């Protein structure tokens, strides 16, 4: 391996749904790895927190990555490695630090420490530093932080930060049962995997001086650090899974296109420098520079993402659009029975829908009325459209539509005549008819829709709505 080969890693913990922030980190790492011939993107699953990990989340990580085009089959991809498979290596690393005098065992309890320092909040006071304790069940292993000097963390995004070593406590690297703690496992794995760049979320910043000390203690040159800015919601609060929609899977299930998501996520904390925001991943990948990532928090603007998605939807060839919609035309999304679905009819509506929807999941509601036996009345639409005079409009329209040509144009003329008869504008007159036929006040162009539904069904629906109005 030449010395300057870039090896980045993405190190998720399988503790829940795949977070959009994780997706952003993965994409930035992926871009850095792919920019260099021979560069590698290592996937390491940090699965040592037994209480919180679940194996099914590992599949979730792999499928989410592949949804954003980070594929195991790409030669850049390496792994997945599992942190839990290197427990021995991590233990050996802790023992080595002890052997070299860079770590020591400690049997202080929390209570004793609080009593000595007089505070709940002070770090470890170094009581066991020179007691020369050997390992015994229950004794933690602490890293001997140098007394003097400074640890300088060079971060591509945040610049250089100096941490006086005297302010870094002798932190625990292995628990009383000998198990390495997260900071140690993470650093030991990075070293073992030859990682050159650690590109991760800002929430890990506080671990960085400790991890750098560990790299140095192992005699390995520390990696290039890059801490990505925190992602916030419209209230400038850090995105949280309890409050915000953060799971990549949820966006995919609603019908955000992977390409639109990838494009949008690449712009969270970074920009190409010109105003061209919508562009394919390949272009973004070439333009991406870690040095240009912002320090300031990145606003996850769902409205903007949705607008991106609309653009991506409109740019699809019709065939691809139809294919992309498939998932929402089937159970559990589709409310009609599979045999009620008609491919040819759908194609006609798809073309009309493609210019109007912003997330693919909306397609179901744009077309359901066509495949269901009855109009799926939406209550709010009904109340809004079925005001005084609605039955008159329905009756006049029915009369005009029951004979003559069945084309969008003729249907429009018929409704126009009905509207004129009652002194209404076409828009006003359309509302009750639209609700009678499709169940909703908004939707695809009315006359094209009615043409597809056919005379018999349309007239039946008008009758059904008129009947309902009488009974109300
Ligand atoms: N496993 C950590 C997490 O999911 C990442 C640690 C790292 O990137 O160094 O937050």
């Amino acid at each position: 391996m030449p010395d300057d080969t870039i090896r980045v890693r993405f190190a998720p913990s399988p503790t829940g749904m795949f977070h959009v922030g994780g997706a952003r980190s993965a994409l930035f790492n992926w871009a850095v790895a792919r920019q260099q011939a021979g560069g590698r993107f290592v996937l390491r699953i940090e699965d040592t927190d037994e209480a919180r990990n679940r194996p099914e989340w590992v599949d979730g990580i792999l499928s989410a990555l592949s949804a954003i085009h980070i594929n195991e089959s790409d030669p850049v991809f390496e792994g997945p490695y599992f942190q839990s498979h290197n427990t021995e290596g991590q233990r050996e690393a802790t023992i080595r630090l002890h052997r070299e005098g860079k770590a020591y065992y400690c049997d202080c309890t929390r209570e004793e420490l609080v009593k000595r320092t007089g505070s709940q909040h002070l770090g470890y006071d170094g009581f066991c530093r020179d007691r020369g304790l050997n390992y015994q069940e229950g004794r933690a292993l602490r890293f001997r932080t140098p007394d003097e000097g400074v640890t300088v963390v060079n971060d591509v995004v945040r610049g250089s930060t100096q941490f006086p070593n005297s302010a870094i406590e002798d932190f625990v690297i292995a628990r009383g049962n000998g198990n390495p703690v997260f900071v140690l496992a993470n650093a030991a794995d990075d070293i073992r995997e030859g990682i050159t760049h650690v590109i991760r979320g800002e929430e890990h910043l506080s671990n960085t001086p400790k991890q750098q000390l560990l790299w140095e203690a192992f005699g390995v040159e520390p990696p290039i650090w890059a801490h990505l800015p925190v992602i916030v919601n419209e209230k400038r609060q850090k995105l949280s899974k309890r409050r915000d929609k953060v799971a990549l899977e949820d966006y995919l299930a609603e019908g955000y296109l992977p390409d639109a998501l990838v494009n949008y996520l690449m712009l969270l904390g970074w920009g190409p420098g010109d105003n061209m925001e919508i562009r394919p991943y390949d272009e973004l990948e070439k333009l991406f520079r870690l040095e240009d990532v912002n320090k300031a928090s990145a606003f996850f603007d769902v409205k903007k993402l949705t607008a991106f998605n609309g653009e991506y939807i409109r740019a699809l060839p019709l065939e691809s659009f139809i294919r992309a919609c498939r998932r929402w035309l089937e159970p559990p999304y589709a409310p009609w029975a599979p045999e009620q679905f008609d491919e040819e009819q759908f194609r006609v509506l798809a073309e009309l829908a493609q210019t109007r929807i912003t997330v693919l999941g909306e397609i179901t509601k744009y077309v359901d009325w066509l495949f269901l036996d009855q109009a799926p009345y939406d209550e709010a639409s009904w109340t809004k459209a079925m005001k005084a005079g609605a039955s008159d409009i329905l009756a006049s329209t029915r009369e005009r539509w029951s004979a003559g040509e069945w084309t969008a144009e003729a249907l429009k003329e018929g409704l126009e005549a009905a509207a004129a008869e009652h002194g209404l504008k076409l828009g006003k007159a359309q509302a009750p008819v639209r609700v009678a036929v499709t169940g909703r006040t908004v939707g695809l162009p009315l006359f094209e829709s009615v043409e597809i539904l056919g005379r018999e069904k349309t007239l039946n629906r008008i009758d059904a709505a008129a009947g309902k109005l009488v009974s109300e």
Side-chain angles (χ1 to χ4, degrees):
M1 195 199 304
D3 277 343
D4 58 352
T5 301
I6 288 180
R7 291 178 62 80
V8 298
R9 84 318 190 258
F10 175 54
S13 306
T15 53
M17 300 286 267
F18 194 83
H19 194 289
V20 286
R24 191 265 312 255
S25 295
L27 285 166
F28 283 12
N29 275 289
W30 188 244
V32 169
R34 283 176 44 110
Q35 279 173 358
Q36 192 201 47
R40 285 285 178 276
F41 170 100
V42 172
L43 174 63
R44 181 175 72 238
I45 309 286
E46 300 213 310
D47 58 344
T48 36
D49 184 348
E50 279 167 24
R52 296 176 61 218
N53 291 320
R54 282 204 262 136
E56 59 266 34
W57 298 124
V58 175
D59 295 335
I61 291 169
L62 290 171
S63 67
L65 286 177
S66 105
I68 53 171
H69 308 314
I70 298 184
N71 282 312
E72 284 181 86
S73 56
D74 193 300
V76 168
F77 192 103
E78 192 177 308
Y81 301 131
F82 290 84
Q83 188 151 71
S84 62
H85 295 186
N86 187 32
T87 319
E88 262 326 292
Q90 295 148 11
R91 273 175 185 259
E92 273 163 29
T94 62
I95 291 165
R96 175 179 149 196
L97 290 180
H98 179 244
R99 194 173 56 239
E100 293 175 0
K102 293 170 182 161
Y104 60 88
Y105 285 103
C106 164
D107 62 1
C108 298
T109 63
R110 180 92 214 131
E111 292 71 40
E112 287 165 356
L113 179 63
V114 171
K115 212 160 144 198
R116 280 202 304 272
T117 59
S119 162
Q120 285 281 357
H121 306 292
L122 289 179
Y124 186 63
D125 61 355
F127 182 78
C128 293
R129 262 194 158 207
D130 301 313
R131 290 176 65 209
L133 297 178
N134 280 324
Y135 177 67
Q136 252 178 37
E137 178 73 33
R139 287 183 181 164
L141 186 62
R142 286 185 182 275
F143 183 75
R144 191 187 297 276
T145 302
D147 293 326
E148 286 166 8
V150 286
T151 295
V152 183
V153 172
N154 289 313
D155 186 298
V156 185
V157 178
R158 319 184 67 85
S160 162
T161 315
Q162 301 202 0
F163 297 87
N165 289 334
S166 55
I168 306 174
E169 68 169 327
D170 287 353
F171 55 95
V172 171
I173 55 174
R175 298 192 186 84
N177 58 8
N179 282 347
V181 304
F182 170 72
V183 272
L184 184 286
N186 181 272
D189 285 3
D190 280 342
I191 292 170
R192 172 184 151 109
E193 290 154 16
I195 300 306
T196 58
H197 295 60
V198 171
I199 305 165
R200 61 183 177 185
E202 195 182 285
E203 64 275 17
H204 293 287
L205 206 54
S206 60
N207 290 327
T208 313
K210 294 177 187 168
Q211 287 175 328
Q212 176 152 318
L213 282 169
L214 289 171
W215 283 68
E216 286 164 357
F218 288 121
V220 187
E221 192 181 330
I224 291 168
W225 305 101
H227 286 91
L228 308 177
V230 60
I231 302 177
V232 297
N233 65 16
E234 69 285 355
K235 292 186 185 141
R236 299 272 138 196
Q237 297 159 318
K238 185 174 189 263
L239 280 199
S240 107
K241 62 179 167 192
R242 255 158 264 109
R243 188 177 45 219
D244 306 297
K245 186 166 67 186
V246 298
L248 189 75
E249 288 91 333
D250 288 346
Y251 286 95
L252 293 167
E254 277 181 33
Y256 286 86
L257 289 168
D259 287 344
L261 278 164
V262 165
N263 189 159
Y264 184 69
L265 291 168
M266 283 296 290
L267 304 178
L268 279 182
W270 172 79
D274 50 27
N275 283 330
M276 267 202 35
E277 291 192 303
I278 300 209
R279 55 208 317 171
Y281 175 76
D282 287 352
E283 248 177 66
L284 293 167
E285 179 185 295
K286 288 196 189 82
L287 293 166
F288 182 79
R289 275 167 45 99
L290 214 40
E291 292 77 5
D292 295 337
V293 171
N294 299 318
K295 257 197 293 203
S297 50
F299 171 32
F300 191 79
D301 185 349
V302 181
K303 282 204 191 89
K304 187 165 172 183
L305 166 63
T306 309
F308 271 44
N309 203 52
E311 298 258 347
Y312 272 85
I313 286 178
R314 284 187 281 288
L316 289 176
L318 181 62
E319 287 310 311
S320 313
F321 172 69
I322 290 175
R323 224 175 306 124
C325 287
R326 194 62 63 199
R327 172 174 179 181
W328 293 276
L329 302 173
E330 288 167 1
Y333 299 102
W336 56 82
E339 63 278 9
Q340 291 178 288
F341 182 72
D342 182 303
E343 187 72 39
E344 281 314 304
Q345 289 188 325
F346 174 70
R347 298 180 77 82
V348 183
L349 291 192
E351 204 167 349
L352 298 170
Q354 188 177 4
T355 55
R356 292 176 168 79
I357 65 176
T358 51
V359 286
L360 292 173
E362 288 168 0
I363 191 70
T364 326
K365 289 214 155 123
Y366 269 98
V367 303
D368 58 356
W369 55 271
L370 181 59
F371 304 121
L372 291 167
D373 291 337
Q374 284 153 10
Y377 298 133
D378 159 66
E379 213 173 298
S381 294
W382 181 274
T383 318
K384 193 164 154 203
M386 297 302 186
K387 303 232 167 85
S391 8
D392 296 340
I393 274 293
L394 289 178
S396 310
T397 308
R398 190 198 196 285
E399 199 186 313
R400 289 182 165 79
W401 284 1
S402 52
E405 256 192 289
W406 195 257
T407 60
E409 216 171 303
L411 291 163
K412 182 171 178 224
E413 280 166 18
L415 185 55
E416 266 166 355
E421 189 187 320
H422 298 282
L424 290 175
K425 289 214 169 87
L426 180 64
K428 271 255 180 302
Q430 267 196 45
V433 178
R434 183 188 279 285
V435 171
V437 177
T438 70
R440 300 186 192 91
T441 45
V442 285
L444 300 177
L446 178 63
F447 305 108
E448 278 87 344
S449 302
V450 172
E451 186 185 335
I452 295 172
L453 186 63
R455 193 184 319 258
E456 194 191 325
K457 286 187 183 166
T458 303
L459 298 184
N460 285 345
R461 286 186 184 192
I462 292 179
D463 291 344
K468 183 165 148 68
L469 272 173
V470 171
S471 68
E472 272 176 0

